Amino acid sequence: MNRRSFLQTSAATAVVAASGAAARAADPLKVGFIYVGPVGDMGWSYQHDQARLAVQKEFGDKVVTSFIENVPEGPDAERALTQLALQGNTLIFATSFGFMDATVNVAKKFPKVKFEHATGYKRAENLATYDARFYEGRAIQGTIAGRMTKTNKIGYIGSFPIPEVIQGINAVYIHAKKVNPDVEIKVVWAYTWFDPAKEADAAAALISEGCDFVLQHTDSTAPQAKAQEAGNVYTFGQASDMASFAPKPRVGSTIDNWEPYYKLRVQAALDGSWKSEATWGGIGTGMVGIGEITDAVPAEVKAEALALKDKIAAGSYHPFTGPLNKQDGSAWLKDGETPDDGTLAGLNFYVEGIKAELPK
């Protein structure tokens, strides 16, 4: 090869290499999500998917998002996460508590992939966690239910007896009791996040016990429909607004707003600033939203609930403020004392006054 042909060949190679590098630089960030329920559940998974769509709109061709819905917690979650990683997703969100161990395992196998796990507590160099202070919204719901109940019986559909659910039950009871000393709370465990039939049965059981408020930490609108059928029972939207059941039985809601967090973390992955950290946001950060309180709620009760919301958002009031005892009567929090986040994250008992038995 003479010098001229060598230079031509080298120049051509350089052009190809440069164009290849440019193409690689322009490759979109692939972001994957797994959901425990269907995107149409109008609750938990729906809200996560709405945030995914907002990410896609915000970043345009800089990202490509995908999701796998109806993923059972356990081995199926590990397979779904592995599938997303093998498909080239380099940022993956696992959006249910029971995905925790599966996410830990898959993160070990794919150290160059960034993983985010919702509501869990296990982290690694390439695994972050994020959660919302749902109990803050429950305090507001407890205030409304305590003021409005005619039977003095509030029902609660629990998914699984894990800390975030126990926090909510306690917060509802504490704040209902503050405004109505005669109130009691009854709990039915559905042992599912999303199963409309089981959720409807749980709601029916609570209504049959005289509960005229039914709250839930499950994902479907089945309890709303059951309350509407009963005619004299109130509910709150869970995770999303569930506004199709307003103004009654749904008189308010807690809304999980994941959009700002997802945008922040995708931007961090794009600009190289992503790192493993734990995030726990609430009303003050906008991660927990309070939906419209309808006119079925008396004006003075609505004003009281919104004032409580403002105090929580400002940080001037904590829903778990002593004096508070554990269910067995032993001391938990002294007058004016509040728990640290570690204590709340491991909460495994009911507060004094709740008569229901907590499953082990």
Side-chain angles (χ1 to χ4, degrees), residues 59 259-269 271 273-274 277:
F59 294 99
E259 180 180 328
Y261 181 79
Y262 284 166
K263 288 180 178 178
L264 182 70
R265 300 302 277 171
V266 168
Q267 181 61 55
D271 63 29
S273 64
W274 188 97
E277 55 192 23

Side-chain angles (χ1 to χ4, degrees), residues 37-226:
V39 295
D41 67 4
M42 300 311 295
W44 176 264
S45 295
Y46 171 80
Q47 283 300 113
H48 283 284
D49 200 58
Q50 289 298 296
R52 177 191 68 83
L53 293 172
V55 163
Q56 191 68 68
K57 183 177 180 180
E58 173 81 8
F59 294 99
D61 58 9
K62 292 181 182 179
V63 302
V64 172
T65 67
S66 61
F67 66 88
I68 304 175
E69 61 185 338
N70 287 317
V71 179
E73 296 174 334
D76 285 333
E78 193 160 337
R79 285 191 285 271
L81 290 164
T82 300
Q83 179 182 332
L84 287 174
L86 291 174
Q87 289 173 347
N89 291 283
T90 54
L91 177 61
I92 297 174
F93 293 92
T95 65
S96 189
F97 179 83
F99 294 158
M100 181 162 58
D101 289 339
T103 308
V104 170
N105 293 341
V106 178
K108 289 178 182 177
K109 297 175 185 176
F110 296 91
K112 294 183 179 180
V113 176
K114 301 171 183 65
F115 291 85
E116 300 249 2
H117 178 229
T119 74
Y121 54 85
K122 294 182 180 179
R123 291 171 52 213
E125 188 173 348
N126 65 327
L127 170 57
T129 58
Y130 60 106
D131 200 354
R133 297 180 186 273
F134 308 116
Y135 64 86
E136 293 183 347
R138 304 294 189 212
I140 294 163
Q141 293 177 352
T143 299
I144 294 172
R147 286 292 190 197
M148 291 182 63
T149 178
K150 298 293 193 295
T151 65
N152 292 327
K153 295 179 180 179
I154 297 171
Y156 202 107
I157 303 171
S159 47
F160 297 95
I162 61 175
E164 78 174 58
V165 182
I166 298 168
Q167 291 162 16
I169 295 168
N170 283 329
V172 167
Y173 178 73
I174 289 167
H175 291 84
K177 191 80 171 176
K178 279 179 181 286
V179 299
N180 181 352
D182 297 323
V183 80
E184 60 179 302
I185 191 166
K186 296 182 177 294
V187 182
V188 171
W189 294 96
Y191 291 98
T192 183
W193 293 111
F194 178 82
D195 187 323
K198 287 184 179 180
E199 293 173 67
D201 287 346
L206 291 167
I207 293 168
S208 71
E209 289 191 61
C211 297
D212 59 357
F213 268 86
V214 174
L215 290 77
Q216 65 188 95
H217 202 127
T218 53
D219 299 346
S220 86
T221 59
Q224 324 291 324
K226 189 58 67 174

Side-chain angles (χ1 to χ4, degrees), residues 136-137 140 241 253-255 283 288-293 306 309:
E136 293 183 347
I140 294 163
D241 201 38
S253 62
T254 53
I255 302 172
I283 293 175
V288 175
I290 302 301
E292 178 197 14
I293 298 173
L306 292 177
K309 170 194 169 185

Side-chain angles (χ1 to χ4, degrees), residues 289-309:
I290 302 301
E292 178 197 14
I293 298 173
T294 73
D295 290 340
V297 178
E300 64 276 13
V301 176
K302 180 177 179 179
E304 183 179 14
L306 292 177
L308 178 60
K309 170 194 169 185

